[in-house]
């Protein structure tokens, strides 16, 4: 059989239609290769031999004993059969039971006087210890040495426990693996021989045998080390090739111009840039000066000054004769960016206008809800090149939007965008524009190397001077209602001291959400029976309660995604101006809203938000000189994982630490899986949290290999394995990053 095709062999040829169908439908396993890469989740030790007198309950044991008695009992009016076997080993007695079709073979073999080895899980039935359906091996008493050897081999074996499903349990999967295991010899080894030998890895066929049928724990470690490396390496080669291909694309180099917009902007800055901002700006300017497109991920804590870095990059591109577009995920955020950028630039943002600087440019906003006249003018400014900078939502991507010369695309909060949207905007340049992706969600280094592996990464980890600390506390509303009352008092105190506050709820609570009456009633019934199932607290209801109760007399306004854009903008302006004391909002305020006078935040049903989301929300307070306060209100039980998550958020302000906790709690929900790409992940052995060193080393090797041989002409095996990994879906996903 040729080396590649045995792995492509459909399972139904080897296992029979019924088993193959279950594997395909429930475990997504279709070929011999799929099954060989379906690794055991863990291994049970059959255990050293246990005397019958010392059997521990609920544990897997192996015993050697003699059959004292065996009899078949009928039950269910003679329709059911049960075989009961009594064992003895001199120290005690134990009962075995076999049911149904499973009684025939043991009934013939387990005769009184026979000695055998039995393995299974100890349970209790009718106050007696028993093993149900144990595996066993008969021992031939005629040769004592041979019997001892058999005992050692059987008892010492590691039993693989496979990820299984209701229709197919682990031992049947193990049997199927036995049937395909000979094909492991045909495995195509993706690692170049020099790399494999240099790092002392087990050959791939041997690693597959060891992972499925280990003799010792060392076998398992050997196999895992090799298989993890393969996964990390093949993925990193794919990403390195993607990065290499990008370097081959043409782009217009955009170099800073002396005495241009950037210099004029820097000269009027009322503060100096942090060391981090200087360093990251240099990385970006170096990228922009090359004749292939920049692909850079800029990650930085909430408030670390990413917008400032992005704006300086945009000004450089405008200086060099190009245009820059900034893509924001919501209208609120697009308007906020437009406002803060025009404020930062002052007269430099009024190019061609009365009172504008002669070195200035026009900064335009483009969103879906703009009036026709304003929209027409914005489109005209873009196509003529009058506007050097445009800030907008996905409205920027529409066909009718045309640029004079698009040189840089800045994407804010990458995880909110479909990759297609990012690409659609990039395709509007005459040549591929440079790309800067920003995120305030701290991404652990390993995730950045895998999920965003086609982007070079810059990190801003210093907060600008003048940012204040934020104290965070969990408020257990159910166990201690007086804590919640105290939370509202604290909000009142902040307002009396001249500050403002946010109250965040998971739901809007308007009629549109409750349109389905039946659903509403069903939810209410469920909530009555189990308070955990009540609908999340809603903005409109909480605002109403606060106006009438705890915060009566204060100006309380609401903000949510279903309001008219003008209405939203009006509320945000009044809040920013200090005319609103308390803003009750959904997560529309999560990203980019900047009101330095807001010092307190109360997050209702905080356990319904993810860790990184809570961290983002909290970053909205403490943005001025007064210290911030964030109260996480929850009805979750003290011992629940939800409460543990909240305590973790309250305990640290370090976003990178929190993203690590988040990842550990979700066990990365497989960062390369559903969440990112909508296709099943190729990671089976590698865990992005625990294997940072493996991923970093694999990336290094991959970069070197691709630099030396971009087409992998001298590594046909690696090319074959890559082609198998990068089926169409994944190829597209990596393409769009």
């Amino acid at each position: 059989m040729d080396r590649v095709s045995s792995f492509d062999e459909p399972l139904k040829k080897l296992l029979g239609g019924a088993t193959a169908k279950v594997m395909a439908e429930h475990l997504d396993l279709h070929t011999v290769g799929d099954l060989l890469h379906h690794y055991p989740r863990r291994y049970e030790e059959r255990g050293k031999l246990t005397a019958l007198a010392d059997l521990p309950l609920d544990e897997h044991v192996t015993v050697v004993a003699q059959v004292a008695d065996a009899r078949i009992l009928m039950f269910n009016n003679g329709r059911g059969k049960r075989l009961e076997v009594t064992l003895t080993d001199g120290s005690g007695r134990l009962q075995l039971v076999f049911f149904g079709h499973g009684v025939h073979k043991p009934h013939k073999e387990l005769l009184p006087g026979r000695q055998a080895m039995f393995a299974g899980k100890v349970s209790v039935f009718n106050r007696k210890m028993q093993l149900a359906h144990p595996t066993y091996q008969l021992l031939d008493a005629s040769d004592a040495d041979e019997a001892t050897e058999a005992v050692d081999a059987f008892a010492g074996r590691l039993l693989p426990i496979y990820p299984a499903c209701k229709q197919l349990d682990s031992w049947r999967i193990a049997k199927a693996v036995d049937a395909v295991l000979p094909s492991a010899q045909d495995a195509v080894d993706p690692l170049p021989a020099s790399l494999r030998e240099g790092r002392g890895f087990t050959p791939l066929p041997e690693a597959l045998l060891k992972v499925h049928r280990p003799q010792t724990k060392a076998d398992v470690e050997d196999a895992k080390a090799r298989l993890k490396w393969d996964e990390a390496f093949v993925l990193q080669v794919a990403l390195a090739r993607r990065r290499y291909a990008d370097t081959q694309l043409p782009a217009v180099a955009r170099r800073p111009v002396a005495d241009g917009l950037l210099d004029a902007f820097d000269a009027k800055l009322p503060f100096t840039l942090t060391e981090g901002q200087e360093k990251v700006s240099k990385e970006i300017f170096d990228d922009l000066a090359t004749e292939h497109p920049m692909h850079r991920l800029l990650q930085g804590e909430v408030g670390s000054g990413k917008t400032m870095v992005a704006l300086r990059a945009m000004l450089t591109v405008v200086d060099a004769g190009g245009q820059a577009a900034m893509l924001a995920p919501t209208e609120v955020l697009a308007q906020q960016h437009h406002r803060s950028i025009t404020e930062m630039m002052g007269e430099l943002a009024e190019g061609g206008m009365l009172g504008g600087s002669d070195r200035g440019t026009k900064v335009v906003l483009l969103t879906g809800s703009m009036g026709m006249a304003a929209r027409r003018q914005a489109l005209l400014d873009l196509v003529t090149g009058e506007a050097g900078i445009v800030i907008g939502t996905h409205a920027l991507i529409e066909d009718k939007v045309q640029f004079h010369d698009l040189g840089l695309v800045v994407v804010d909060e990458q995880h909110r965008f479909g990759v297609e949207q990012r690409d659609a905007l990039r395709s509007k340049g005459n040549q591929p524009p440079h790309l800067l992706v920003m995120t305030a969600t701290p991404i652990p280094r390993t995730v950045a190397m895998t999920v965003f592996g086609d982007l070079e990464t810059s990190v801003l980890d210093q907060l600008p001077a003048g940012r204040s600390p934020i104290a965070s506390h969990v408020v257990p509303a159910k166990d201690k209602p007086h804590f919640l009352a105290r939370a509202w008092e604290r909000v009142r105190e902040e307002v009396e001291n001249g500050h403002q506050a946010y109250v965040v709820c998971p739901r809007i609570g308007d009629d549109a959400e409750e349109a389905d009456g039946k659903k509403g009633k069903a939810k209410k019934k469920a909530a009555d029976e189990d308070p955990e199932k009540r609908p999340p607290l809603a903005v409109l209801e909480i605002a109403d309660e606060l106006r009438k109760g705890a915060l009566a007399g204060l100006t309380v306004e609401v903000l949510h995604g279903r309001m008219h854009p003008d209405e939203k903008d009006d509320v945000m302006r009044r809040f920013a101006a200090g005319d609103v004391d308390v803003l009750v909002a959904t997560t529309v305020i999560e990203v980019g809203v900047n009101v330095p006078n807001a010092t307190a935040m109360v997050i209702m049903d905080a356990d319904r938000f993810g860790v990184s989301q809570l961290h983002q929300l909290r970053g909205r307070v403490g943005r001025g000189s007064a210290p911030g306060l964030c109260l996480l209100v929850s009805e979750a039980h003290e011992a629940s994982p939800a409460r543990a998550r909240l305590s973790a958020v309250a305990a640290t302000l370090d976003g990178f630490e929190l993203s690590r906790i988040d990842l550990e709690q979700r066990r990365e929900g497989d960062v390369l899986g559903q969440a990112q790409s909508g296709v099943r992940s190729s990671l089976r052995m590698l865990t992005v949290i625990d294997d940072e060193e493996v991923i970093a080393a694999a990336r290094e090797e991959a970069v070197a290999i691709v630099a030396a041989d971009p087409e992998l002409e001298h590594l046909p095996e690696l090319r074959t394995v890559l082609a198998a990994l990068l089926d169409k879906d994944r190829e597209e996903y990596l393409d769009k990053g």
Side-chain angles (χ1 to χ4, degrees), residues 214-361:
Q215 299 298 312
T216 61
K217 287 182 177 169
D219 281 356
V220 175
E221 291 316 306
D222 252 15
K224 278 188 170 176
R226 168 65 215 253
L227 297 167
K228 272 181 185 182
W229 178 272
D230 280 16
E231 283 175 12
F233 176 71
V234 172
L235 184 64
Q236 290 303 334
V237 168
L239 292 164
R241 289 187 75 195
R242 176 76 55 248
R243 289 194 301 275
Y244 180 83
D246 286 337
T247 65
Q248 303 310 296
L249 290 173
V252 179
R254 312 282 179 174
R255 296 184 181 88
V257 172
D259 294 330
L261 248 180
L262 179 65
D263 285 352
F265 176 74
D266 283 351
K268 62 196 273 306
L269 275 182
F271 51 81
T272 54
L273 298 174
T274 66
E275 225 174 284
Q277 285 174 317
E278 291 278 15
K279 178 175 142 284
V280 170
S281 288
K282 183 180 181 325
E283 290 170 352
I284 291 171
F285 291 161
D286 288 350
D287 282 356
L288 289 173
T290 60
E291 292 183 350
H292 55 80
M294 164 171 82
H295 285 92
R296 191 165 282 279
L297 171 69
L298 170 56
Q299 52 178 114
E301 282 287 10
V302 175
S304 56
K306 293 184 299 298
T307 311
M308 171 63 69
V309 169
L311 176 54
R312 294 182 74 241
M314 294 198 285
L315 295 175
T316 301
V317 169
V318 175
D319 272 343
Q323 290 169 295
M326 185 183 228
L327 191 55
T330 63
E331 293 211 350
V332 167
L333 190 53
Q335 286 161 341
Q336 172 96 24
H337 275 318
H338 183 252
R339 223 177 4 253
S340 61
I341 282 174
T342 46
E343 275 166 22
M344 283 197 264
M345 287 175 64
E347 75 280 4
L348 295 173
E350 295 164 1
M353 289 145 81
L354 218 58
S357 159
D358 53 355
R359 279 187 292 189
T361 186

Side-chain angles (χ1 to χ4, degrees), residues 101-245:
H101 299 305
V103 306
H104 304 309
K105 188 167 177 253
H107 187 223
K108 275 199 261 179
E109 294 181 335
L110 298 177
L111 304 171
R114 290 300 300 264
Q115 197 176 29
M117 202 160 22
F118 303 88
K121 193 173 181 181
V122 183
S123 57
V124 169
F125 181 71
N126 276 347
R127 295 206 294 273
K128 278 187 189 164
M129 293 271 204
Q130 72 166 28
L131 298 182
H133 281 283
T135 47
Y136 65 89
Q137 189 171 328
L138 297 171
L139 298 172
D140 191 348
S142 61
D143 183 342
D145 286 348
E146 209 175 288
T148 309
E149 232 169 79
V151 168
D152 288 346
F154 182 91
R157 274 274 303 283
L158 292 168
L159 286 178
I161 305 296
Y162 287 92
C165 60
K166 201 166 77 185
Q167 297 78 0
L168 200 64
D169 50 28
S170 171
W171 67 268
R172 281 173 62 200
I173 294 172
K175 254 180 118 158
V177 169
D178 282 337
V180 301
L181 213 44
S183 299
Q185 292 309 320
D186 304 328
V188 175
D189 197 325
L191 296 193
S194 57
L195 193 160
R196 189 177 70 235
E197 286 150 21
R199 291 187 173 265
F201 285 130
T202 305
L204 185 56
E206 194 184 316
L208 288 169
L209 286 172
K210 280 180 169 178
V211 80
H212 288 294
R213 297 295 172 262
Q215 299 298 312
T216 61
K217 287 182 177 169
D219 281 356
V220 175
E221 291 316 306
D222 252 15
K224 278 188 170 176
R226 168 65 215 253
L227 297 167
K228 272 181 185 182
W229 178 272
D230 280 16
E231 283 175 12
F233 176 71
V234 172
L235 184 64
Q236 290 303 334
V237 168
L239 292 164
R241 289 187 75 195
R242 176 76 55 248
R243 289 194 301 275
Y244 180 83

Side-chain angles (χ1 to χ4, degrees), residues 509-678:
D510 60 3
D511 295 340
E513 287 182 323
E514 305 303 334
D516 186 345
K518 281 185 197 153
K519 212 180 269 178
K521 280 180 196 151
K523 271 188 186 163
K524 184 179 183 326
K525 184 169 180 283
D528 291 342
E529 287 164 18
D530 177 1
E532 292 289 299
K533 290 196 178 126
R534 68 164 171 75
L537 294 170
V539 166
L540 301 177
E541 292 155 20
I542 293 291
D544 212 33
E545 279 174 34
L546 292 176
R547 286 188 191 111
K548 291 175 187 160
L551 303 181
L554 304 185
T555 323
V556 177
E557 292 279 4
V558 300
L559 181 72
H560 57 76
R562 240 182 247 127
M563 288 161 63
H564 187 276
D566 293 348
E567 215 182 333
K568 277 194 279 199
D569 208 33
D570 175 56
V571 170
M572 269 322 297
R573 274 178 201 282
R574 287 190 294 118
F575 188 62
D579 301 337
V580 173
D581 299 323
V582 180
L583 187 63
V584 184
T586 54
T587 53
V588 289
I589 62 149
E590 176 188 347
V591 179
V593 172
N594 184 19
V595 179
N597 192 44
T599 52
M601 175 176 285
V602 181
I603 302 179
M604 307 302 290
D605 274 343
D607 47 279
R608 313 251 182 157
F609 297 99
V611 170
S612 60
Q613 208 173 17
L614 290 169
H615 181 60
Q616 291 283 321
L617 287 165
R618 170 171 61 184
R620 302 297 117 219
V621 295
R623 297 178 80 87
S625 51
L629 172 69
C630 179
L631 302 174
L632 305 166
V633 179
S634 167
E635 289 189 6
H637 190 276
E638 196 169 354
S640 65
R643 273 287 284 280
R645 215 168 53 230
L646 295 183
S647 301
V649 173
T652 179
L653 291 171
D654 180 341
F656 284 93
E657 175 58 25
L658 284 175
S659 65
R660 202 173 180 89
I661 291 167
D662 190 23
L663 211 52
E664 268 165 16
Q665 291 200 331
R666 289 184 292 123
R667 292 311 291 178
E668 72 247 18
D670 184 352
V671 288
L672 298 179
Q674 250 55 31
Q676 288 293 339
S677 62

